């Protein structure tokens, strides 16, 4: 209360003494600042603000009340700076420039402000401090994107200082701003200035031309292109000159000047070509009645057919033009040498490829050399491939050109990580407009901020745009971007501030915008858009906080939202409990634990454990983190019960997948459970420690899971039998009936077959895929022996894999304890007396996988095996197999397992 009394005393003293403006100095405001710094907490701040507002109601020009209330409001990130503006205007009228500057700087302490910057610049101008004024102008144009004249003046100022690069940057910025203002005279003036100073930046000119055509008119865009063209014609840069003329003709296909000029440029560019005039005539390029775009396309296709050029045929692949004789072309394809076709046929059937096209390189260079070049320089490879695909390619297309013809799948994994970063950051690559995942090669370098802006514009989703802006800010933090004051950055920021300028309903976009802009302003205060960023004020008007949180489709925003919620909501822990199933975060649990909210933690664990069928993903998440969070102990669940619940969920996901319900989500959860239970051996480890009752309970549940790979059950069974050789499973009915519909084998054979199947999938199939890809490059698949052989091998591998998979599912493993040596059966060695020859013979009875007749190992399913099976010692056997008659006496039966 002492602070309130001190301020009340100051206000009364000001009113009684009627201190004149001339008596005020900067020191007076410094004293008031010291007083303001003593204000602590929202309650005291509100009390001081109310006191000042009451005083202003009676004394509207109170210097002290205006200053203190103005500072409090702006310190709260409130956009209401009216009191400080009024105060500054009072001192401007009295030419107290030192105080004006001090007050402006106090506003700027909390972020860039147009009024404060303009006023500060004016004060420097009044004191003839020109350099200081221009320095402030540089800050002003970062936040005032309507200002164009000052940008132009900055360009002229930098030019006089000899700072050519900086001047050029400001001229470009001024051009864009004059385009927005639709001031053609200023646009034309700067356009001509840039042609003189930096004519080679055609990407910039073309970008500006497109904006002019939309903002002003196509006629204005044509006029400026016609002004740009003479430089390149004079420099004999015919490729660029033709590009400019094509752009003119895109706006006006009947422009006679552009048509005449493009014909002349073609004559100069292809003056060495023996068929030049013939192709001009053939395409009707200089005939006004022919559609100019069709004529250009015809001419360019014909002119590209020349000896030494490469072509592509969809069946025969890449070929080299050996020569042209009148209307006949001779081409060498890989599989068709000296192939002749008419020019007319060639034009319709062939595509001309540049010498650096990726298909040409794959045909003409050795694979090892090309592979080394691709791995050594991803930038070179990306440029080659993207240009080969008409200067537009995504990572899927790039991969199809490299894997498996040049890189293996394993090599692609590491190579593609580098490639993605290059495509994002390298100034040579840009995004294709409106295709966020497609890339192009730029003629002129593109800044990272422009590249990120292009991605931002191509994104259609609010949260994808937030992600792009956050990514850009990370590049700034890393130092990859020098400036964040460009139009591109401001437009990204303005997109989010637009959601806050006229809020009718507080929703996820509202909070998303607040959180995005809070981060932007915290890191770059001059980008403050001047909108209300007070999270707590929006929170008061939010109708369903949990739904808003679930709809925040961005992890960074969700984290920020929860941090702010904890700060501003009295019942934050209840909201944390309700949102956890939709936001599986250890950070959220740590926040509850650090705040001592153990009841809330137990509530989370209990609701997920009790409702695990509905909270499948959350239960699996908790299980996967059970090593670091002993949550099941907290609620007395037990580790075994947790595993059993996971098996239940596994069964549910298999059933839902089969019934086509939420297939993608269920497959993901299914994979996570199988990894945790089987690949990470959690279930196996449990079976190695629990008692026999638990084993029976767990194994029975696993065995009942429809869709689970049967080999998993067999592996678990092996683990149990190693601990308890005499253990009997509920499903175990003995070897004679278990294998009904299948067959028996020993464990060693089972393991060998598993390895054989794994070898097919991991080695043979990838090798065969490489063989098919290599053979496909040889051309015509109908006459390609290598391709046919590789496809036949593919069919064989598929058949082998299918057979092995089926066998592994049908087989029953027989162990020593399963063998009944009282009779001839699987796993026994029988000694027989051959009564016809009066000699002793011995056979070992095993399965089809172990069968080796030359060494006396008989398949129990074979005719001989069936004839011997189930007989006892002393029995006389008489039977025939085929044309052979047998007469044996069983002398001895012994187990062999």
């Amino acid at each position: 209360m002492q602070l309130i009394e001190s301020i009340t005393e100051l206000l009364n003293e000001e009113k009684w003494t009627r201190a004149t403006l001339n008596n005020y100095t900067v020191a007076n405001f410094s004293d008031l600042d010291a007083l303001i710094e003593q204000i602590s907490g929202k309650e005291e701040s509100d009390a001081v603000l109310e006191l000042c507002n009451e005083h202003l109601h009676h004394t509207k020009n109170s210097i002290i009340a205006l200053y203190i209330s103005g500072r409090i409001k702006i310190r709260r990130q409130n956009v209401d700076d009216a009191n400080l503006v009024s105060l500054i205007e009072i001192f401007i009228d009295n030419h107290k420039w030192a105080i004006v500057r001090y007050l402006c700087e106090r506003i700027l302490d909390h972020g860039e402000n147009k009024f404060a910057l303009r006023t500060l610049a004016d004060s420097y101008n009044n004191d003839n401090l020109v350099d200081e004024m221009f320095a402030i102008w540089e800050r002003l144009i970062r936040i005032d994107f309507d200002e164009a004249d000052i940008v132009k003046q900055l360009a002229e100022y930098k030019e006089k200082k000899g700072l050519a690069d900086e001047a050029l940057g400001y001229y470009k910025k001024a051009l864009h701003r004059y385009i927005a203002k639709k001031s053609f005279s200023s646009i034309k003036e700067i356009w001509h200035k840039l042609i003189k100073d930096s004519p080679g930046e055609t990407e910039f000119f073309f970008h500006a031309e497109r904006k002019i055509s939309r903002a002003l008119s196509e006629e204005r865009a044509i006029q400026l292109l016609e002004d740009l063209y003479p430089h390149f014609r004079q420099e004999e840069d015919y490729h660029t000159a033709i590009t400019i003329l094509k752009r003119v003709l895109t706006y006006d296909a009947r422009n006679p000047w552009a048509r005449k000029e493009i014909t002349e440029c073609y004559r100069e560019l292809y003056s060495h070509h023996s068929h030049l005039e013939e192709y001009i005539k053939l395409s009707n390029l200089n005939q006004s009645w022919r559609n100019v775009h069709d004529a250009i396309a015809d001419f360019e296709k014909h002119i590209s057919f020349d000896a030494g050029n490469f072509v592509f045929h969809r069946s025969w692949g890449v070929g080299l033009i050996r020569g042209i004789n009148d209307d006949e072309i001779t081409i060498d394809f890989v599989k068709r040498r000296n192939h002749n076709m008419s020019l007319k046929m060639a034009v319709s059937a062939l595509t001309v490829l540049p010498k650096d096209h990726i298909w040409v390189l794959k045909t003409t260079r050795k694979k090892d050399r090309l592979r080394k070049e691709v791995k050594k320089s991803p930038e070179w490879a990306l440029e080659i491939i993207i240009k080969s695909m008409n200067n537009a390619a995504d990572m899927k297309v790039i991969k199809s050109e490299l894997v498996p013809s040049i890189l293996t799948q394993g090599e692609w994994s590491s190579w593609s990580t580098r490639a993605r970063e290059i495509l994002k950051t390298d100034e040579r690559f840009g995004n294709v407009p409106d295709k966020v995942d497609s890339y192009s090669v730029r003629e002129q370098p593109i800044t990272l901020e422009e590249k990120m802006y292009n991605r931002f514009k191509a994104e259609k989703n609010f949260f994808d745009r937030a992600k792009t802006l956050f990514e850009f800010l990370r590049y700034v933090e890393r130092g990859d971007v020098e400036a964040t004051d460009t139009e591109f950055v401001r437009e990204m920021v303005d997109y989010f501030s637009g959601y806050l300028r006229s809020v009718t309903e507080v929703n996820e976009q509202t909070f998303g915008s607040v959180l995005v802009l809070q981060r932007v302003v915290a890191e770059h205060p001059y980008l403050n858009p001047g909108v209300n960023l007070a999270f707590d004020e929006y929170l008061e008007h939010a109708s369903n906080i949990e739904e808003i949180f679930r709809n925040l489709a961005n992890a960074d925003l969700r984290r920020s939202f929860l941090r702010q919620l904890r700060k501003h909501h009295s019942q934050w822990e209840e909201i944390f409990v309700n949102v956890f199933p939709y936001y599986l975060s250890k950070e959220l649990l740590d926040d509850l634990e650090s705040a001592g909210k153990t009841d809330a933690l137990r509530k989370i664990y209990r609701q997920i454990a009790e409702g695990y069928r509905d909270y499948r993903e959350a239960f699996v998440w908790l299980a996967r983190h059970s090593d670091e969070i002993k949550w099941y102990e907290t609620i007395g669940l037990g580790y075994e019960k947790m595993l059993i619940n996971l098996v239940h969920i596994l069964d549910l996901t298999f059933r839902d997948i089969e019934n086509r319900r939420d297939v993608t989500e269920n497959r993901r959860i299914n994979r996570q459970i199988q990894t945790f239970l089987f690949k990470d051996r959690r279930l196996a480890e449990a079976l190695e420690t629990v008692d026999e009752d638990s084993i029976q309970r767990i194994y029975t549940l696993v065995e009942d899971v429809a869709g689970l790979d049967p080999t998993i059950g067999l592996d678990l069974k092996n683990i149990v039998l190693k601990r308890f050789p005499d253990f009997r499973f509920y499903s175990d009915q003995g070897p004679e009936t278990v294998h009904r519909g299948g067959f028996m084998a020993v464990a060693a054979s089972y393991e060998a077959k598993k390895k054989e199947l794994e070898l097919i999938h991991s080695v043979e199939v990838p090798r065969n895929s490489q063989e098919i890809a290599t053979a496909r490059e040889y051309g015509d698949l109908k006459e390609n022996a290598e391709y046919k052989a590789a496809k036949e091998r593919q069919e064989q591998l598929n058949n082998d894999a299918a057979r092995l998979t089926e066998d592994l599912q049908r087989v029953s493993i027989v162990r020593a304890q399963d063998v009944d040596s009282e009779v001839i059966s699987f796993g026994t060695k029988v000694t027989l007396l051959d009564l016809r020859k009066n000699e002793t013979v011995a056979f070992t009875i095993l399965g089809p996988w172990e069968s080796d007749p030359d060494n006396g190992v008989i398949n129990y399913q074979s005719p001989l095996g069936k004839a011997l099976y189930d007989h006892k010692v002393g029995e006389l056997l008489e039977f025939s197999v085929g044309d052979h008659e047998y007469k044996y006496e069983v002398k001895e039966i012994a187990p062999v397992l």
Side-chain angles (χ1 to χ4, degrees):
M1 295 300 295
Q2 185 177 355
L3 180 63
I4 299 292
E5 291 173 2
S6 299
I7 293 174
T8 302
E9 187 177 333
L10 281 173
L11 292 172
N12 289 333
E13 182 181 341
E14 179 190 45
K15 182 169 62 175
W16 294 331
T17 59
R18 297 187 181 278
T20 63
L21 290 173
N22 290 331
N23 293 335
Y24 274 95
T25 65
V26 169
N28 297 123
F29 290 100
S30 295
D31 293 340
L32 290 176
D33 284 336
L35 200 61
I36 292 168
E37 290 302 317
Q38 297 177 37
I39 300 173
S40 61
K42 190 174 185 298
E43 227 177 277
E44 192 170 45
S45 178
D46 287 343
V48 173
L49 195 57
E50 185 179 352
L51 176 64
C52 291
N53 288 338
E54 177 64 25
H55 187 78
L56 287 169
H57 182 70
H58 301 289
T59 312
K60 67 176 184 178
N61 287 335
S62 166
I63 303 300
I64 294 173
L66 285 171
Y67 187 69
I68 293 176
S69 63
R71 285 293 311 276
I72 289 173
K73 288 180 180 180
I74 205 162
R75 197 165 65 170
R76 288 180 172 182
Q77 280 194 317
N78 195 304
V79 295
D80 183 8
D81 59 0
N83 288 356
L84 287 178
V85 169
S86 297
L87 190 59
I88 289 170
E89 288 174 343
I90 290 171
F91 284 101
I92 287 174
D93 291 340
N94 286 270
H95 306 290
K96 301 280 284 184
W97 298 115
I99 293 176
V100 167
R101 283 198 283 274
Y102 184 87
L103 296 176
C104 288
E105 286 163 356
R106 296 296 71 74
I107 293 177
L108 296 172
D109 286 341
H110 301 278
E112 300 293 65
N113 179 286
K114 293 179 188 179
F115 172 80
L117 289 170
R118 283 188 181 277
T119 304
L120 195 55
D122 289 343
S123 75
Y124 285 132
N125 189 36
N126 274 295
D127 289 344
N128 202 31
L129 299 171
V130 177
D131 289 341
E132 288 81 352
M133 179 190 73
F134 276 107
I136 296 299
W137 274 359
E138 288 191 78
R139 292 169 61 185
L140 174 63
I141 64 167
R142 291 174 180 172
I143 63 168
D144 188 351
F145 280 72
D146 294 327
E147 181 55 67
D149 291 337
I150 287 178
V151 178
K152 182 185 173 188
Q153 291 180 61
L154 277 165
E156 294 166 347
Y157 171 75
K158 295 291 184 180
E159 194 171 24
K160 288 177 183 176
K161 291 276 189 179
L163 303 171
D165 289 342
E166 290 186 44
L168 184 63
Y170 281 120
Y171 278 123
K172 290 179 181 178
K173 197 185 295 285
L175 179 67
H176 282 297
R177 296 194 178 188
Y178 282 127
I179 292 171
K181 287 178 169 291
K182 301 182 180 181
S183 175
F184 185 70
S185 59
S186 298
I187 292 169
K188 188 171 183 179
E189 179 187 350
I190 296 180
W191 183 273
H192 282 272
K193 172 71 176 169
L194 291 171
I195 292 174
K196 178 185 174 185
D197 292 348
S198 186
E201 296 198 42
T202 53
E203 290 279 0
F204 171 81
F205 284 111
F206 294 156
H207 176 64
E209 157 247 310
R210 285 192 296 271
K211 290 180 69 174
I212 291 163
S213 70
R214 293 192 295 266
L216 283 80
S217 68
E218 291 183 354
E219 289 75 16
R220 292 299 196 190
I222 290 172
Q223 187 177 341
L224 294 174
L225 287 172
E226 288 174 349
D227 293 342
L228 180 63
Y229 169 76
H231 168 82
F232 296 98
R233 180 64 194 271
Q234 185 176 346
E235 293 294 318
E236 299 183 357
D237 182 354
Y238 295 113
H239 286 290
T240 305
I242 289 168
T243 300
I244 294 170
L245 293 168
K246 284 181 179 179
R247 298 180 80 87
V248 171
L249 290 165
T250 300
Y251 294 122
D252 180 12
R254 296 185 176 278
N255 189 306
W257 170 82
R259 187 161 192 154
K260 177 178 177 297
E261 286 296 320
I262 203 168
T263 304
E264 293 307 313
C265 284
Y266 280 134
R267 281 195 169 101
E268 295 292 340
L269 182 61
Y270 298 108
S271 58
H272 63 283
H273 201 291
S274 57
H275 293 74
L276 172 63
E277 292 302 325
E278 179 186 347
Y279 291 160
I280 289 176
K281 184 178 180 181
L282 191 63
S283 63
N284 295 300
L285 185 60
N286 53 5
Q287 300 297 318
S288 60
W289 58 266
R290 177 85 194 277
N291 178 284
V292 70
H293 301 296
D294 292 342
I296 289 171
D298 273 1
F299 172 79
E300 290 188 343
K301 187 150 192 178
H302 279 83
I303 203 72
S304 61
F305 285 96
D306 200 5
N309 286 349
F310 288 93
V311 292
F312 176 79
H313 186 277
R314 60 188 178 88
S315 296
W316 306 326
V318 175
L320 178 67
I321 299 176
R322 285 298 181 191
I324 302 176
N325 185 14
D326 293 330
D327 190 37
E328 188 173 82
I329 296 181
T330 302
I331 306 165
D332 279 347
F333 293 103
V334 174
K335 295 281 186 175
R336 284 176 175 260
R337 299 287 178 178
N338 294 315
H339 181 76
N340 295 321
M341 63 169 58
S342 68
L343 177 61
K344 185 177 181 180
M345 176 64 74
V347 169
S348 63
L350 302 178
T351 302
V352 176
L353 303 179
K355 289 181 173 59
D356 60 352
H357 194 287
I358 185 63
W359 298 346
V360 174
L361 296 179
K362 286 200 281 188
T363 303
T364 59
R365 292 190 187 178
K366 290 183 177 180
K367 179 179 176 179
D368 287 345
R369 176 189 168 190
L370 194 54
R371 179 171 166 270
K372 287 178 182 177
E373 290 173 339
V374 167
K375 293 180 73 173
K376 180 181 179 181
S377 178
E379 297 87 348
W380 171 83
L382 289 168
E383 186 171 345
I384 289 293
I385 295 170
I386 292 171
K387 282 184 174 180
S388 298
M389 302 296 117
N390 294 320
N391 206 24
D394 57 20
M395 287 302 290
K396 185 177 180 181
V397 170
I398 293 168
K399 181 179 180 180
S400 69
E401 294 300 328
L402 293 176
V403 179
S405 57
I406 298 174
L407 300 178
T408 65
Q409 181 61 49
E411 290 170 330
W412 164 259
S413 298
S414 57
W415 188 92
S416 62
T417 301
R418 292 173 59 198
R420 290 178 196 278
E421 186 66 15
I422 290 165
L423 290 170
K424 284 182 180 180
T425 58
D426 195 298
E427 60 186 11
R428 286 173 289 179
F429 302 101
N431 291 95
V432 176
D434 300 323
K435 290 185 180 179
V436 67
D437 293 324
S438 286
Y439 301 93
S440 63
V441 179
R442 301 272 299 199
E443 289 184 22
Q444 275 83 39
I446 181 174
T447 62
L448 182 56
E449 55 265 40
E450 184 179 355
K451 183 181 292 193
M452 297 300 291
Y453 171 75
N454 289 340
R455 271 185 59 196
F456 184 89
K457 294 292 285 185
E459 299 283 10
K460 304 302 180 188
N461 179 275
F462 176 93
F463 296 104
D464 288 337
R465 289 188 168 189
K467 181 181 177 182
T468 299
L469 181 56
F470 284 155
E471 188 176 342
F472 173 74
L473 293 175
R474 283 193 287 272
Y475 284 128
V476 174
E477 187 178 343
R478 259 172 37 179
D480 295 336
V481 181
E482 295 181 1
T484 56
D485 59 348
T486 66
E487 278 83 353
F488 304 120
V489 180
R490 174 54 65 175
E491 284 193 40
M492 287 192 277
V493 170
D494 283 349
Y495 169 79
F496 296 103
S497 62
Y499 281 91
L500 303 180
R501 295 193 189 281
S502 55
V503 179
T504 56
E505 178 189 4
V506 175
N507 55 25
E508 58 271 14
Q509 281 89 5
T510 309
F511 280 105
S513 298
V514 169
L515 297 169
V516 166
L517 294 174
Q518 281 182 347
R519 176 174 170 181
V520 169
V521 171
E523 296 175 9
H524 309 282
Y526 56 84
L527 290 174
N528 192 329
V531 293
N532 184 14
L533 300 179
F535 184 92
D536 56 333
E537 293 184 20
Y538 293 105
L539 196 61
E540 291 174 4
H541 298 91
S543 57
N544 190 330
I545 297 172
E546 291 161 23
E547 183 180 355
I548 287 172
F549 176 82
R550 285 199 298 270
N551 292 335
L552 283 172
N554 179 280
D556 287 337
L557 292 178
R558 283 185 163 191
R559 278 193 292 271
S560 299
F561 185 91
L562 291 180
R563 281 195 293 267
Q564 294 274 13
L565 194 68
R566 182 177 175 182
K567 183 178 178 183
H568 295 292
H569 200 288
S570 58
Q571 301 295 320
W572 64 273
E573 69 274 13
E574 286 299 318
I575 298 173
F576 274 38
V577 170
N578 294 332
V579 303
F580 178 78
Y582 313 100
Y583 180 64
L584 304 171
S585 162
K586 189 169 184 303
E587 184 180 354
L588 183 150
L589 300 178
D590 290 342
D591 283 347
L592 288 169
E593 186 174 12
S594 64
K597 305 291 184 180
T598 53
D599 288 343
L601 281 169
R602 279 195 290 270
K603 189 174 181 180
I604 287 175
Y605 302 148
R606 191 171 290 110
Q607 76 173 10
I608 291 172
E610 292 174 355
Y612 69 90
R613 289 176 175 84
D614 297 321
Y615 297 121
R616 299 178 190 182
E617 186 175 12
F619 190 88
V620 173
W621 187 93
L622 285 175
R624 292 168 67 198
H625 289 79
S626 57
D627 287 343
E628 50 187 321
I629 308 171
K630 302 295 183 183
W631 60 273
Y632 53 90
E633 295 178 354
T634 305
I635 58 173
L637 180 68
Y639 187 73
E640 179 185 327
K641 179 61 175 173
M642 182 187 76
L643 295 179
I644 288 173
N645 286 355
L646 285 172
V647 176
H648 279 150
I649 297 173
L650 184 66
D651 187 43
L652 290 171
T653 58
F654 271 122
R655 295 176 190 276
D656 283 348
I657 291 167
E658 185 179 359
N659 294 322
R660 311 306 297 170
R661 284 200 295 264
D662 300 324
V663 174
T664 302
E665 181 182 353
N666 277 299
R667 278 181 177 158
R668 178 169 52 79
I669 295 171
N670 186 291
R671 285 194 298 270
Q672 290 175 351
I673 296 174
Q674 291 210 51
T675 298
F676 181 80
L677 290 180
F678 308 126
K679 186 176 180 181
D680 296 344
R681 299 194 77 252
R682 300 304 182 112
L683 208 55
E685 290 169 358
L687 293 176
E688 289 168 351
T689 57
V690 299
D691 59 28
E692 293 186 57
D693 288 341
S694 295
I695 289 174
Q696 197 69 264
R697 190 162 46 248
I698 293 171
Y699 184 81
T700 302
L701 287 171
V702 172
E703 197 172 41
D704 287 342
V705 175
L708 187 65
D709 183 351
T711 60
I712 291 174
L714 288 171
D715 289 341
L716 295 177
K717 201 171 187 179
N718 288 338
I719 291 170
V720 175
L721 291 172
K722 283 180 181 177
R723 288 187 65 202
F724 305 106
D726 298 328
F727 190 91
R728 290 293 174 182
F729 301 91
Y730 287 147
S731 59
D732 197 346
Q733 302 299 319
E736 288 79 7
T737 56
V738 166
H739 69 274
R740 189 171 295 156
F743 62 94
M744 292 182 284
V746 298
S749 298
Y750 173 77
E751 292 298 327
K753 293 297 181 182
K754 274 180 64 178
K755 289 180 180 178
E756 185 180 342
L757 179 61
E758 184 180 347
L759 181 70
I760 290 174
H761 286 310
S762 62
V763 178
E764 297 294 339
V765 169
R767 182 186 296 159
N768 175 248
S769 297
Q770 175 71 49
E771 290 169 353
I772 291 173
T774 302
R776 187 180 281 116
E777 294 178 1
Y778 294 155
D780 188 1
L781 301 185
K782 292 180 181 178
E783 302 179 11
N784 190 328
E786 291 88 347
Y787 179 77
K788 289 179 180 178
K791 290 296 285 184
E792 288 171 2
R793 174 64 174 156
Q794 182 185 58
E795 184 177 0
Q796 179 189 338
L797 288 171
N798 289 338
N799 291 337
D800 289 348
R803 175 180 51 75
L804 278 169
T805 301
E806 184 181 0
D807 285 350
L808 287 167
Q809 291 173 350
R810 291 169 53 234
V811 71
S812 293
I813 308 302
V814 179
R815 293 170 179 79
Q817 64 268 26
D818 298 322
V819 176
D820 181 6
S821 58
E822 293 295 317
V823 297
I824 302 171
S825 61
F826 187 100
T828 61
K829 183 177 181 179
V830 57
T831 303
L832 304 167
L833 175 62
D834 188 335
L835 299 175
R836 290 182 179 276
K837 298 179 180 180
N838 196 28
E839 62 184 25
T840 301
V841 293
F843 297 112
T844 299
I845 311 300
L846 292 173
W849 282 351
E850 297 86 13
S851 177
D852 184 6
D854 291 341
N855 291 304
V857 180
I858 303 301
N859 177 3
Y860 74 94
Q861 294 176 325
S862 68
L864 178 59
K866 288 178 180 179
L868 297 174
Y869 213 81
D870 272 344
H871 292 286
K872 298 180 180 180
V873 173
E875 288 191 35
L876 296 176
L877 310 178
E878 192 169 353
F879 56 87
S880 61
V881 176
D883 296 331
H884 198 84
E885 299 290 336
Y886 294 94
K887 193 173 182 180
Y888 290 135
E889 180 185 351
V890 181
K891 304 299 287 183
E892 183 183 358
I893 302 171
V896 294
L897 298 186

